[in-house]
Amino acid sequence: MEIEPAEEVKEPPRIHRLDESVVNRIAAGEVIQRPVSAVKELVENSLDASSTSISVLVKDGGLKLIQVSDDGHGIRYEDLPILCERHTTSKLSKYEDLQSIKSMGFRGEALASMTYVGHVTVTTITRGQLHGYRVSYRDGVMENEPKACAAVKGTQIVIENLFYNMVARRKTLQNSADDYTKIVDLLSRFAIHHIDVSFSCRKHGAARADVHSVATPSRLNAIRSVYGLSVAQNLIKIEASDNDPSSSVFEMDGFISNSNYVAKKTTMVLFINDRLVECTALKRALEVVYVATLPKASKPFIYMSITLPPEHVDVNVHPTKREVSLLNQEVIVEKIQSVVESVLRNSNESRTFQEQTVEATPSVPSVTNNDLHLSPSPSGSKSQRVPVNKIVRTDSSDPAGRMHAYLYKNPQKYLGRDSSLTTVRSSVRQRRNLKETADLTSIQELINDIDRKCHSGLLDIVRQSTYIGMADDVFALLQHNTHLYLANVVNLSKELMYQQVLRRFAHFNAIQLSEPAPLQELIMLALKEEDSDLESNENDDLKKKIAEVEWEEEKNCFQSLAAALGNFYAMHPPMLPNPSGKGLEFYRKRKHGKHTQDGGNSCHVDGTAEEDEFEHELLSEAETAWAQREWSIQHVLFPSMRLFLKPPNSMASNGTFVRVASLEKLYKIFERC
């Protein structure tokens, strides 16, 4: 009889302290993520030094060389030995100083991090000195004693061979052109905010700077100098403020693009207390305003400077200081959002257009300017030669391009028009996807399924299409480029609500019950309610089985609940027949149990006509219900779809989207008629 050897018991691994050099290099990789991170830290140090001129020189996207020179107050000779040690700073001395800090640097990690991933050389001179000093640093310490040298006012910091000791990081950053573009974009943002400072940025060996701004008293001039005339002349001045301690205290001023500005991507330059940051919530909120207010969901240019009390801003929330946390952030975002929407609405009343030039050819007859549909274009851009059958025709005066505007005059007879639209748009904006997700693996798996099964072609149609109107009770007519599509609004709204239930899980308002609800009893009551024969007990066992919930099957449970809620909130047609079509007969009054079959007026023996009589109260209720549904489809469903819906692959084959016509081909047919 063989005896099996006892299983060897493994000891748990020991916990030990990392070597200080390893700790510092890990920290450096978080602070200096790529060359543009180093440039940002150095430029912010120069601004803290009260510089009036800052120049940046870059080689190979910053991997071989980054040189930042300024004319600031310089660095004291006695401070040079600890200049690049971790957590050495002149900005604060105790933690409480963070509550009122106004400088851009405060952690004392930037310069230290650069010395752990590159070779750093500092040349500096302070006021009153006859000469400056130059010293090199590696791994946080001086490589030699500072050497006297000739120097101009201020400080020059040179970083060479960035990430020389991080092979993987360096390989991922080989595309130097991409990183240089990021550095140029960074300097452009600084230049339009700090208008009292001159900025320049150029490649090593280049004679001309890619960013060159001079101090100016006008912000608009700075934007024109950096971003060009076509941007500057399409901007609107904007201001907002609040001084209510119970809600929010802030001041905001800036510029936003108007309805004539056209761009492929959003440019948002945001400074909070003079600190260049990102605010995803604010950016998302403003993009929603542009989608809902302007045609074709124009991508905006936005510059904003927000000033708050220092104690209302937590600057210590991100290793690279890219983000900050604001007190009453939701309130501030909502107030700014409302002001932007109001300004955009007023600006959208007057727009300028540029003609499209069409060359006459044997196959295409001459077309006068009056025959052309004119598309908005930034002033100063070149006119495009677009074949007449390629021009996309949508109603530019209405963001929805609505067909009904040409059919009848009061599409919102039963609605509150502007007030209702403003309320709904605000509601749609508040339903933007939250950054945080539920901490449940099953929910995340379902969301991942949605993302994985998203159809890219349909996604582009959903994002870029123009709503035209309802074709019947179920299908809406959309235009995407020069194609017309029928879209099943029931399927679309059902899928949209299903996805929103999952993405917003754990972020809905909660109802606290004093005692847990008896779910099984409630489900049994619902099942019995559906049974017409209440006295029959034959199906009780089946009902009990249905009423039982398999709580262990969490993913299936959440999926079923989300699907049920999606179906409940879908845009199903109202129960009452549509009075705008054949359903009108349903509301005609019956006389003596008979109903007129001719669909018109009844006739007396003397030949006089009697006007049709309808159940006006019921008819009015039906008209209101159908008008409310159509209005909700236009102003709630489709704007929400553009923001949130990721159409699954199944919609490409189940009839949810049907391409019905090509405007390009239709034009050729009409041309022959």
Side-chain angles (χ1 to χ4, degrees):
M1 179 178 177
E2 295 183 359
I3 300 177
E4 294 182 359
E7 185 178 350
E8 183 180 352
V9 179
K10 293 184 178 180
E11 291 290 331
R14 288 182 176 274
I15 297 175
H16 60 276
R17 289 187 179 89
L18 286 174
D19 186 77
E20 187 176 357
S21 63
V22 177
V23 174
N24 290 332
R25 193 174 297 179
I26 292 173
E30 293 178 351
V31 177
I32 309 299
Q33 298 175 352
R34 56 192 313 138
V36 69
S37 306
V39 174
K40 180 175 183 290
E41 296 287 355
L42 294 177
V43 170
E44 288 178 340
N45 282 346
S46 296
L47 292 170
D48 282 339
S50 303
S51 303
T52 60
S53 177
I54 301 173
S55 62
V56 178
L57 181 66
V58 178
K59 185 175 182 180
D60 284 356
L63 291 179
K64 284 192 176 181
L65 173 72
I66 295 174
Q67 176 183 295
V68 178
S69 307
D70 65 58
D71 62 350
H73 53 54
I75 303 168
R76 298 173 185 269
Y77 172 79
E78 53 269 26
D79 292 336
L80 289 175
I82 64 169
L83 174 65
C84 293
E85 288 185 8
R86 288 190 69 194
H87 309 307
T88 57
T89 180
S90 61
K91 313 301 168 54
L92 55 82
S93 57
K94 56 184 184 296
Y95 184 79
E96 286 72 22
D97 293 342
L98 275 175
Q99 305 301 318
S100 58
I101 194 164
K102 296 182 179 179
S103 62
M104 277 162 271
F106 57 89
R107 291 183 181 143
E109 288 189 299
L111 283 174
S113 297
M114 295 173 201
T115 66
Y116 284 103
V117 294
H119 304 136
V120 177
T121 302
V122 178
T123 304
T124 185
I125 186 172
T126 57
R127 180 180 297 178
Q129 286 186 325
L130 297 177
H131 56 79
Y133 292 92
R134 179 177 293 125
V135 61
S136 299
Y137 296 86
R138 182 172 293 191
D139 295 338
V141 297
M142 294 193 304
E143 290 189 302
N144 44 52
E145 289 297 316
K147 295 179 181 179
C149 65
V152 295
K153 178 187 176 184
T155 302
Q156 181 185 87
I157 297 181
V158 176
I159 308 173
E160 297 175 287
N161 299 320
L162 192 61
F163 303 125
Y164 72 96
N165 53 359
M166 301 176 70
V167 179
R169 178 78 61 90
R170 194 173 177 89
K171 284 184 177 179
T172 61
L173 298 172
Q174 288 301 317
N175 189 351
S176 60
D178 181 53
D179 274 277
Y180 181 70
T181 301
K182 294 180 185 295
I183 294 172
V184 168
D185 179 64
L186 175 75
L187 268 294
S188 300
R189 293 167 185 261
F190 276 118
I192 66 171
H193 179 74
H194 297 280
I195 57 176
D196 55 344
V197 180
S198 300
F199 289 88
S200 71
C201 177
R202 66 181 178 90
K203 286 183 180 180
H204 183 269
R208 178 178 172 274
D210 292 287
V211 176
H212 180 70
S213 70
V214 296
T216 174
S218 169
R219 179 101 49 209
L220 202 57
N221 284 343
I223 295 175
R224 183 183 296 110
S225 171
V226 174
Y227 287 96
L229 179 63
S230 62
V231 174
Q233 67 184 4
N234 287 306
L235 296 182
I236 312 169
K237 176 75 174 174
I238 187 167
E239 294 179 341
S241 63
D242 191 15
N243 195 26
D244 184 0
S246 63
S247 60
S248 61
V249 178
F250 75 97
E251 291 183 358
M252 181 277 291
D253 68 271
F255 290 91
I256 60 173
S257 56
N258 60 23
S259 55
N260 297 314
Y261 179 79
V262 177
K264 293 182 179 179
K265 66 176 183 177
T266 299
T267 300
M268 181 166 182
V269 183
L270 175 64
F271 283 81
I272 296 179
N273 287 3
D274 292 329
R275 186 186 298 273
L276 178 61
V277 296
E278 295 177 1
C279 181
T280 305
L282 179 59
K283 182 180 180 181
R284 185 72 171 172
L286 298 182
E287 285 180 330
V288 169
V289 173
Y290 274 86
V291 168
T293 308
L294 296 184
K296 296 185 180 179
S298 303
K299 300 298 183 183
F301 177 95
I302 300 168
Y303 161 77
M304 281 187 182
S305 175
I306 303 175
T307 304
L308 303 94
E311 60 272 18
H312 289 187
V313 185
D314 184 1
V315 298
N316 191 29
V317 296
H318 195 279
T320 64
K321 300 173 290 184
R322 187 177 63 191
E323 298 177 2
V324 295
S325 180
L326 307 181
L327 185 66
N328 300 321
Q329 177 172 298
E330 287 295 325
V331 178
I332 294 173
V333 169
E334 184 66 27
K335 289 182 183 294
I336 293 175
Q337 190 179 46
S338 298
V339 171
V340 170
E341 181 174 22
S342 176
V343 170
L344 280 180
R345 277 192 172 195
N346 294 332
S347 74
N348 201 27
E349 292 176 359
S350 61
R351 306 183 64 200
T352 60
F353 299 89
Q354 194 170 46
E355 297 178 354
Q356 291 176 325
T357 305
V358 181
E359 290 183 336
T361 65
S363 60
V364 180
S366 298
V367 181
T368 64
N369 290 338
N370 294 332
D371 294 329
L372 295 179
H373 173 81
L374 305 179
S375 300
S377 174
S379 301
S381 61
K382 296 180 180 179
S383 60
Q384 297 178 346
R385 300 180 183 275
V386 181
V388 69
N389 61 310
K390 293 280 189 179
I391 298 175
V392 178
R393 289 166 168 79
T394 55
D395 178 17
S396 60
S397 65
D398 188 333
R402 198 162 178 248
M403 175 175 64
H404 297 68
Y406 304 100
L407 302 181
Y408 50 88
K409 297 296 183 182
N410 57 343
Q412 296 181 350
K413 176 181 177 182
Y414 307 99
L415 304 174
R417 296 182 69 87
D418 291 343
S419 60
S420 296
L421 185 56
T422 301
T423 302
V424 170
R425 282 176 175 167
S426 176
S427 177
V428 171
R429 289 195 299 266
Q430 292 173 2
R431 289 187 175 92
R432 56 186 176 271
N433 286 339
L434 299 177
K435 197 171 183 181
E436 304 85 6
T437 57
D439 189 19
L440 291 172
T441 303
S442 55
I443 291 291
Q444 194 56 53
E445 288 177 357
L446 291 170
I447 293 175
N448 292 340
D449 287 343
I450 293 172
D451 295 336
R452 188 176 64 257
K453 296 177 182 178
C454 178
H455 192 287
S456 59
L458 294 182
L459 182 62
D460 183 60
I461 293 175
V462 168
R463 293 284 192 270
Q464 305 298 330
S465 64
T466 301
Y467 173 82
I468 298 176
M470 293 300 295
D472 59 19
D473 296 350
V474 175
F475 284 93
L477 192 62
L478 308 179
Q479 179 175 330
H480 178 254
N481 294 333
T482 57
H483 298 291
L484 292 179
Y485 293 85
L486 286 175
N488 188 314
V489 296
V490 177
N491 291 354
L492 288 171
S493 56
K494 188 185 300 184
E495 180 64 27
L496 173 65
M497 292 308 302
Y498 167 76
Q499 294 183 13
Q500 283 294 286
V501 169
L502 294 177
R503 293 188 186 280
R504 298 183 59 82
F505 186 85
H507 293 289
F508 295 105
N509 294 332
I511 300 176
Q512 187 67 40
L513 302 178
S514 55
E515 296 181 4
L519 293 179
Q520 190 166 352
E521 294 179 21
L522 293 174
I523 295 173
M524 283 293 293
L525 286 173
L527 291 171
K528 288 182 178 180
E529 183 71 21
E530 293 181 357
D531 196 337
S532 58
D533 186 5
L534 297 179
E535 301 298 326
S536 175
N537 295 321
E538 295 179 2
N539 296 327
D540 278 359
D541 292 339
L542 178 60
K543 292 173 184 173
K544 289 179 180 178
K545 188 173 182 180
I546 295 174
E548 293 177 0
V549 178
E550 293 292 339
W551 297 107
E552 297 300 323
E553 297 293 331
E554 184 181 84
K555 182 176 178 180
N556 291 338
C557 178
F558 287 144
Q559 188 175 33
S560 301
L561 284 172
L565 287 170
N567 184 60
F568 179 79
Y569 285 104
M571 295 284 188
H572 295 287
M575 296 295 293
L576 292 170
N578 191 343
S580 64
K582 294 181 179 179
L584 183 63
E585 292 296 320
F586 177 82
Y587 305 97
R588 197 185 303 276
K589 285 185 177 180
R590 273 75 169 174
K591 295 184 179 180
H592 307 294
K594 296 183 180 179
H595 194 283
T596 55
Q597 299 297 323
D598 57 1
N601 297 331
S602 59
C603 198
H604 290 289
V605 287
D606 61 358
T608 60
E610 178 187 0
E611 290 186 0
D612 291 335
E613 295 185 11
F614 294 94
E615 297 285 352
H616 291 291
E617 185 175 346
L618 191 62
L619 179 60
S620 177
E621 181 182 346
E623 288 176 335
T624 301
W626 281 90
Q628 176 67 56
R629 176 178 182 258
E630 200 277 335
W631 189 88
S632 299
I633 289 171
Q634 177 189 358
H635 294 294
V636 181
L637 176 61
F638 279 93
S640 299
M641 281 169 44
R642 293 188 186 102
L643 295 172
F644 307 128
L645 180 65
K646 293 192 174 181
N649 292 320
S650 58
M651 284 189 173
S653 57
N654 66 2
T656 300
F657 286 91
V658 180
R659 194 168 86 175
V660 294
S662 168
L663 298 181
E664 187 177 334
K665 293 180 180 178
L666 285 176
Y667 179 86
K668 293 179 179 178
I669 294 173
F670 294 149
E671 190 181 46
R672 291 196 296 266
C673 294

